[in-house]
Amino acid sequence: MSTTSYRIAVIPGDGIGREVTPVAQAALEKAASGRADFTYEDFDLGAERYLRDGAILPDEDLERIKATDAILLGAVGDPRVKAGVLERGLLLKLRFSLDQYVNLRPSKLYRGVTSPLADPGRIDFVVVREGTEGLYCGAGGAIRRDTVDEVATEVSINTAYGVERVVRYAFELAMKRRRHVTLVHKKNVLVNAGDMWQRIVDRVAREFPEVSHDYQHIDAATIFMVSDPSRFDVILTDNLFGDILTDEAGAVVGGVGYSASGCINAAGTYPSMFEPIHGSAPDIAGKGVANPTAAILSSAMLLRHLGLDDCADRIDRAVEEDIAQSGSSRRSTTQIGRDILSRF
């Protein structure tokens, strides 16, 4: 097979992101050896940069990122920075500027991991979350701030175009899995957006007769997530509900240390971004005890996005073997990375 070269933007970010990202890069290198060459472009973005010079995501950095093939992100967040500053200024700006309209989050209970559920059954599903619309658009505002008459609004933006492309992605993904899609919304109360989501799902579903589909209110879905998670295959939902549901999903499979994610521009017009769903964990940062497994699994998602499925499979197999044999043992960040890579 010929070797292909790729440019990868690397944003270690904050806290443990700086510790787990190099391990993910090492996994990329070893898994794709002989199949792909990677050139890394490092970006100093996150809390330290913001506290140093006030920059969050300068336009020149954004343009350089746009020219890469994919993005590997560590984590963003720091208690010294007001909540929302980095999240909106860096993470959401990247997702919106690069039109990463699919937030893809797999959840799998690995053999060797203990779920907090008494009888979890087989857990292996993926959440397809719309990534560029909904309540996260920033539409809304506040008047008479800090007075007794203050009014604050958050407006959910839903377009037929934006909904259909993520619905279509979910059904195409289901064709590669167990062929079932569950739409999660709150259409009995959010009657405008919910009705539009349902109509588009029903219409797109007619193009995929092999795929069954059903609907659950978000509150029911959170219940089934802990009472019968094996019923799910592909969960399709909007931006806010997906954010909440995937954190719950991370908990039921034993913790977010095993949960990877991708912010996908499925059209390929801009690079997609891959990251563990855990945060920067400032309480353990610098101690060398962060679990890099989710970051390594994110690198597998990056490889699969680039079409290097066989390389991604190598990482997935190595992670599964490592968790099954050593997942319960107390190991350092470096040791876990070394153990996983040794299984390739």
Side-chain angles (χ1 to χ4, degrees):
M1 297 181 182
S2 60
T3 300
T4 307
S5 297
Y6 298 97
R7 291 177 60 200
I8 308 298
V10 179
I11 308 174
D14 305 315
I16 64 171
R18 296 178 176 271
E19 300 170 51
V20 300
T21 301
V23 183
Q25 288 179 254
L28 273 180
E29 291 286 342
K30 190 163 186 179
S33 178
R35 291 277 281 111
D37 291 326
F38 299 105
T39 300
Y40 300 104
E41 191 162 356
D42 296 320
F43 289 86
D44 178 19
L45 300 171
E48 294 296 338
R49 172 77 180 274
Y50 175 73
L51 292 170
R52 186 172 68 247
D53 59 21
I56 301 178
L57 179 57
D59 290 342
E60 56 269 25
D61 284 348
L62 179 59
E63 291 306 310
R64 287 168 54 209
I65 290 172
K66 286 181 179 179
T68 63
D69 296 299
I71 307 162
L72 191 62
L73 173 68
V76 172
D78 190 297
R80 296 173 296 173
V81 180
K82 183 180 177 181
V85 172
L86 296 174
E87 291 82 357
R88 281 207 168 274
L90 179 54
L91 295 182
L92 293 189
K93 185 176 178 180
L94 281 169
R95 293 177 189 174
F96 282 76
S97 299
L98 304 178
D99 199 23
Q100 295 169 344
Y101 57 88
V102 173
N103 186 268
L104 188 65
R105 294 188 172 184
S107 290
K108 182 175 182 177
L109 179 59
Y110 291 98
R111 185 167 57 91
V113 176
T114 301
S115 169
L117 305 182
D119 184 17
R122 178 176 181 266
I123 304 178
D124 185 1
F125 61 83
V126 62
V127 178
V128 176
R129 164 190 169 196
E130 200 289 318
T132 59
E133 295 189 350
L135 280 164
Y136 287 24
C137 284
I143 59 172
R144 298 189 291 273
R145 191 185 297 271
D146 289 329
T147 74
V148 295
D149 301 312
E150 181 172 354
V151 177
T153 62
E154 303 286 353
V155 181
S156 180
I157 304 298
N158 298 264
T159 69
Y161 164 76
V163 171
E164 178 168 345
R165 62 182 183 172
V166 75
V167 168
R168 194 169 295 281
Y169 184 95
F171 275 84
E172 290 172 351
L173 179 60
M175 286 290 293
K176 304 174 184 177
R177 293 176 52 88
R178 301 195 306 277
R179 302 190 175 188
H180 184 73
V181 173
T182 300
L183 171 63
V184 173
H185 212 280
K186 190 67 176 174
K187 65 181 183 180
N188 61 332
V189 176
L190 306 177
V191 295
N192 298 312
D195 180 67
M196 184 176 74
W197 273 83
Q198 185 67 75
R199 283 185 284 109
I200 293 174
V201 165
D202 291 342
R203 174 163 50 81
V204 172
R206 290 195 288 270
E207 302 176 29
F208 296 87
E210 305 95 334
V211 179
S212 59
H213 68 97
D214 63 356
Y215 170 82
Q216 288 180 10
H217 292 323
I218 178 61
D219 37 0
T222 61
I223 293 172
F224 285 123
M225 185 70 71
V226 297
S227 63
D228 187 19
S230 62
R231 68 185 293 154
F232 296 117
D233 179 24
V234 176
I235 297 175
L236 168 65
T237 191
D238 80 347
N239 214 334
L240 176 62
F241 294 150
D243 195 358
I244 298 168
L245 208 57
T246 50
D247 283 348
E248 184 186 17
V252 302
V253 296
V256 293
Y258 301 108
S259 300
S261 73
C263 295
I264 312 294
N265 179 304
T269 52
Y270 292 110
S272 297
M273 180 165 62
F274 301 88
E275 58 182 305
I277 75 169
H278 61 65
S280 58
D283 57 323
I284 62 170
K287 298 180 179 180
V289 297
N291 187 345
T293 303
I296 293 172
L297 288 169
S298 297
S299 70
M301 292 182 70
L302 186 155
L303 289 169
R304 189 161 280 113
H305 178 72
L306 295 177
L308 300 168
D309 289 16
D310 55 328
C311 302
D313 289 342
R314 296 184 70 193
I315 292 180
D316 289 339
R317 283 194 301 269
V319 166
E320 290 196 28
E321 292 172 5
D322 180 74
I323 294 174
Q325 296 182 21
S326 307
S328 61
S329 62
R330 185 179 295 276
R331 295 175 290 169
S332 67
T333 305
T334 302
Q335 185 63 55
I336 295 174
R338 186 161 54 238
D339 288 350
I340 291 174
L341 266 64
S342 71
R343 299 179 186 275
F344 285 3

